[in-house]
Amino acid sequence: DGFVIEQRTDLSDIDGTPDGRATQRLVVTPHPGQAIWLDFVEALDLGDGYSLSFHYTGETVDTAYPLLEIYATGDWTDVASATGADVHPMASGEGALRAIPTVSRTLTRLELALPADRNSSVDVYDIRGRRVAILPIAAGERSVGWDGADDDGRPVASGVYLARHLDASGAPHTARIVRLR
């Protein structure tokens, strides 16, 4: 029906990062309504990302709908409690955040469930827990775009990123983004 690619990294093995474990998952499934089966998948590690190839068979493909759904999940465990983005499941209601699309080469729109009640920001973290971008969001706004650049305007590497917004009570809400080059 679909497949999951999971990558686990022990960050204590990487110089300059806090001790911790990062897990990234890329989930690929047929879009609802498509009568296809994924026969095989091959993931080629490119160093800063993956190249995926797969073969599908099925009855018919409905060209009015997307063929596949792709989304990313991940988690971060800060074993030293030194740093890292707090990762919480996306909550519904005030402050809830979602990324559209979750996998992108261009712009990802980060949408709040309700308009921001104050000037704030959506912060974007890499899988190691380092903040790479601060996206200001004005009071009354419901969304902000991220073009995949860090605060200095440089494109970030391919991979999983976490966007985080703190609501008025200080509760964090996150959305996961997979950047492709």
Side-chain angles (χ1 to χ4, degrees):
D1 293 330
F3 59 89
V4 177
I5 297 172
E6 181 173 284
Q7 178 183 14
R8 295 179 191 168
T9 305
D10 183 357
L11 299 179
S12 61
D13 294 338
I14 301 172
D15 291 337
T17 64
D19 289 344
R21 285 189 270 328
T23 303
Q24 305 177 74
R25 289 174 209 86
L26 186 63
V27 181
V28 180
T29 59
H31 187 275
Q34 295 287 22
I36 64 170
W37 296 268
L38 298 169
D39 298 325
F40 73 86
V41 63
E42 180 180 24
L44 177 62
D45 187 351
L46 300 176
D48 67 347
Y50 291 91
S51 172
L52 299 177
S53 60
F54 49 88
H55 183 266
Y56 70 89
T57 57
E59 297 171 12
T60 59
V61 173
D62 187 344
T63 57
Y65 295 100
L67 184 63
L68 300 171
E69 288 188 342
I70 302 173
Y71 66 95
T73 65
D75 55 70
W76 159 264
T77 304
D78 186 356
V79 297
S81 298
T83 187
D86 294 329
V87 179
H88 298 274
M90 188 174 104
S92 59
E94 182 179 356
L97 181 67
R98 71 180 187 158
I100 303 170
T102 57
V103 178
S104 178
R105 290 178 193 265
T106 57
L107 185 74
T108 297
R109 177 112 349 252
L110 297 158
E111 293 187 352
L112 301 173
L114 298 173
D117 61 348
R118 58 183 168 56
N119 288 340
S120 61
S121 66
V122 174
D123 299 332
V124 180
Y125 294 86
D126 66 16
I127 198 67
R128 295 178 182 160
R130 293 180 298 200
R131 187 170 58 201
V132 297
I134 300 171
L135 309 171
I137 188 163
E141 294 294 318
R142 290 188 67 150
S143 67
V144 63
W146 184 48
D147 61 1
D150 66 14
D151 282 336
D152 295 325
R154 295 180 306 244
V156 298
S158 297
V160 175
Y161 293 83
L162 300 171
R164 181 175 73 164
H165 178 260
L166 299 177
D167 65 20
S169 71
H173 301 279
T174 62
R176 292 164 183 87
I177 305 164
V178 175
R179 291 295 303 174
L180 303 175
R181 283 207 181 190

